[in-house]
């Protein structure tokens, strides 16, 4: 089938899929979808992977006291950022192929204000620097030296983020040094990193966290050390507003984890929020985004994982992944649970 014909076929399928073709914002029509009703006084926080549970607890301390969702998500993701045993976020993150730990992070609030840092070195709490970008500069993203300078100017201290464990793994990887970025996913990771312990990374990756506070406002945060042994300077989806994270306070919020390049190509988190605007549940919206990635690159599932999480203004949550094994943690007044996420494969 020609590219154009496949595109048309896909577009038709998509139109039929979306609420009977009723609302196609891409064509400039006004949304006819009723906005979800906010459930006030019932805060909720969700985050990626099993390790989201501890992060949710820190977020909950803020939410339960009636604090802002923005403060909750920052507080929450700082937990894995500070954990040296966690090799995918902040301190202890796996380095790039040159042995440098470079962090990506983004944050977004209920007023669509957002901030991000990319390729930030030597600062543990990349998320707080992303918040500084949002609150103290007229910009949305700072990278590398500029991001570091902002952090230092605001009292952050430089630290070595490369732990002995991550350094040893990097040195092991250097023996063959295949310049192929590795996703922190068990089945392809342990084939390559001989020094690593199977099971260590199973449920670890980027942390994406979404929260709704007692006032019914939404915020989100996303922070990561990115792909292990990536090229120096590589930036993933996590600091790209709309790709790794997106919040629309009228509709809902979404975040992603997994192979960032594929998420950027479909502007994943924004897509999930727009699909919720069309009336899809959080899980169905995440599923449609994963299907979009799979449609564009049907070989994708063989090489990597992608997962999306989402919440809407009703406090409903959901997630979907490309492959089995993705989990997400939820804490609200009603439940505290780690969910196994449904997947395409
Ligand atoms: C990235 N989505 O940088 C993030 C994190 C990741 O394995 O890939 N972790 O693409």
């Amino acid at each position: 089938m020609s590219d154009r014909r496949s595109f048309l076929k896909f577009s038709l399928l998509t139109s039929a899929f979306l609420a009977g073709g009723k609302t196609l914002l891409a064509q400039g029509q006004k949304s006819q979808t009723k906005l979800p009703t906010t459930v006030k006084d019932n805060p909720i926080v969700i985050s990626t992977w099993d390790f989201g549970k501890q992060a949710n607890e820190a977020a909950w301390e803020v939410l339960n006291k009636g604090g802002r969702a923005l403060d909750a998500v920052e507080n929450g993701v700082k937990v894995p950022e500070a954990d040296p045993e966690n090799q995918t976020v902040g301190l202890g993150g796996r380095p790039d192929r040159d042995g440098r730990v470079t962090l990506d992070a983004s944050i977004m609030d209920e007023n669509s204000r957002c901030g991000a840092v990319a390729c930030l070195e030597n600062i543990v709490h990349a998320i707080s620097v992303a918040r500084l970008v949002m609150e103290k500069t007229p910009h949305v993203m700072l990278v590398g030296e500029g991001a570091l300078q902002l952090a230092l100017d605001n009292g952050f201290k430089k630290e070595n983020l490369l732990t002995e464990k991550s350094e040893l793994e990097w040195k092991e990887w250097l023996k063959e040094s295949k310049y192929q970025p590795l996703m922190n996913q068990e089945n392809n990771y342990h084939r390559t990193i001989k020094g690593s312990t199977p099971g260590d990374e199973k449920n670890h990756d980027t942390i994406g966290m979404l929260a709704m506070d007692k006032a019914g406002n939404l915020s989100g945060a996303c922070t990561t050390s990115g792909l292990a042994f990536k090229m120096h300077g590589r930036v993933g989806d996590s600091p790209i507003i709309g790709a790794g994270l997106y919040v629309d306070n009228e509709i809902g919020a979404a975040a992603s984890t997994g192979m960032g390049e594929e998420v950027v190509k479909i502007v994943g988190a924004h897509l999930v929020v727009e699909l919720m605007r069309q009336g899809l549940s959080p899980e169905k919206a995440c599923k449609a985004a994963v299907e979009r990635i799979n449609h564009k690159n049907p070989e994708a599932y063989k090489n990597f994982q992608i997962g999306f999480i989402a919440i809407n203004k009703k406090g409903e949550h959901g997630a979907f992944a490309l492959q089995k094994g993705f989990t997400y943690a939820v804490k609200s007044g009603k439940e505290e649970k780690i969910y196994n996420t449904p997947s395409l494969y």
Side-chain angles (χ1 to χ4, degrees):
M1 195 183 297
S2 74
D3 282 357
R4 185 172 153 71
R5 277 177 58 209
S6 355
F7 172 74
L8 286 174
K9 189 176 163 211
F10 181 68
S11 304
L12 285 171
L13 285 172
T14 311
S15 314
F17 174 68
L18 291 176
K22 195 170 68 173
T23 52
L24 278 180
L25 297 180
Q27 291 175 7
Q29 294 178 5
K30 209 173 164 200
S31 169
Q32 299 164 21
T33 313
K34 257 176 76 186
L35 298 180
T37 327
T38 300
V39 181
K40 292 194 180 179
D41 292 328
N42 188 13
I44 176 169
V45 56
I46 73 171
S47 56
T48 51
W49 305 103
D50 290 10
F51 69 168
K53 187 173 183 294
Q54 286 79 43
N56 285 356
E57 278 160 21
W60 187 255
E61 282 171 26
V62 177
L63 294 172
N64 204 28
K65 283 188 215 138
R68 232 179 127 194
L70 181 72
D71 295 322
V73 293
E74 182 188 6
N75 216 37
V77 302
K78 281 169 81 171
V79 173
E81 278 187 339
D83 180 0
E85 294 303 315
N86 183 324
Q87 292 181 280
T88 53
V89 180
L91 175 66
R94 293 194 179 85
D96 65 18
R97 67 186 196 179
D98 299 340
R100 296 162 73 163
V101 181
T102 67
L103 306 180
D104 292 345
S106 62
I107 194 159
M108 190 160 187
D109 77 3
E110 73 275 17
N111 300 310
S112 297
R113 295 194 313 157
C114 47
V117 290
C119 211
L120 173 66
E121 292 180 75
N122 299 114
I123 301 288
V124 174
H125 292 301
I127 198 65
S128 302
V129 188
R131 186 167 175 174
L132 274 182
V133 174
M134 175 172 93
E135 293 180 338
K136 296 258 165 81
T137 81
H139 307 303
V140 163
M141 181 187 279
L142 290 181
V143 305
E145 282 297 316
L148 176 63
Q149 197 53 54
L150 178 76
L152 297 177
D153 290 350
N154 283 275
F156 285 74
K157 296 273 169 289
K158 259 183 152 178
E159 281 181 56
N160 174 23
L161 305 184
L162 186 62
T163 54
E164 205 177 316
K165 186 176 179 190
S166 286
E167 189 174 7
L168 280 173
E169 287 188 9
W170 168 62
K171 287 190 171 149
E172 189 63 36
W173 175 85
L174 274 180
K175 289 180 186 162
E176 289 185 29
S177 61
K178 283 191 201 134
Y179 280 159
Q180 176 196 359
L182 285 176
M183 189 182 53
N184 296 308
Q185 186 206 358
E186 197 182 38
N187 55 4
N188 67 8
Y189 188 79
H190 292 291
R191 278 205 301 265
T192 319
I193 308 298
K194 297 184 193 103
S196 68
T197 321
D200 272 7
E201 295 76 18
K202 196 171 174 189
N203 286 318
H204 288 223
D205 205 302
T206 297
I207 184 153
M209 175 177 278
L210 311 169
M212 182 163 70
D213 58 30
K214 285 189 179 179
N217 285 321
L218 297 169
S219 288
C222 189
T223 177
T224 187
S225 52
L227 296 177
F229 320 131
K230 60 195 174 185
M231 288 176 72
H232 181 65
R234 180 265 185 189
V235 172
D237 56 330
S238 307
I240 311 288
I241 297 295
L245 175 71
Y246 197 69
V247 177
D248 183 324
N249 204 41
E250 289 180 22
I251 302 298
S256 68
T257 179
M259 187 58 85
E261 280 74 0
E262 297 302 308
V263 176
V264 169
K265 287 176 196 168
I266 63 149
V267 199
H270 184 260
L271 176 63
V272 171
V273 172
E274 289 308 300
L275 290 167
M276 291 194 287
R277 191 191 305 278
Q278 308 271 6
L280 267 62
S281 69
E283 182 181 315
K284 287 202 168 116
C286 292
K287 181 172 186 227
V290 169
E291 284 171 344
R292 181 79 61 90
I293 288 171
N294 189 58
H295 174 82
K296 301 274 178 202
N297 180 1
E299 295 296 298
Y301 77 96
K302 293 182 185 156
N303 302 317
F304 46 76
Q305 173 67 303
I306 307 272
F308 289 102
I309 58 168
I311 57 174
N312 66 17
K313 285 289 271 191
K314 286 193 260 182
E316 295 166 337
H317 57 82
F320 204 86
L322 190 62
Q323 302 193 40
K324 282 197 195 116
F326 177 43
T327 57
Y328 74 107
V330 179
K331 185 159 174 66
S332 71
K334 285 189 288 192
E335 61 175 331
E336 180 166 9
K337 194 171 166 184
I338 294 176
Y339 282 84
N340 283 317
T341 303
S343 61
L344 211 55
Y345 292 98

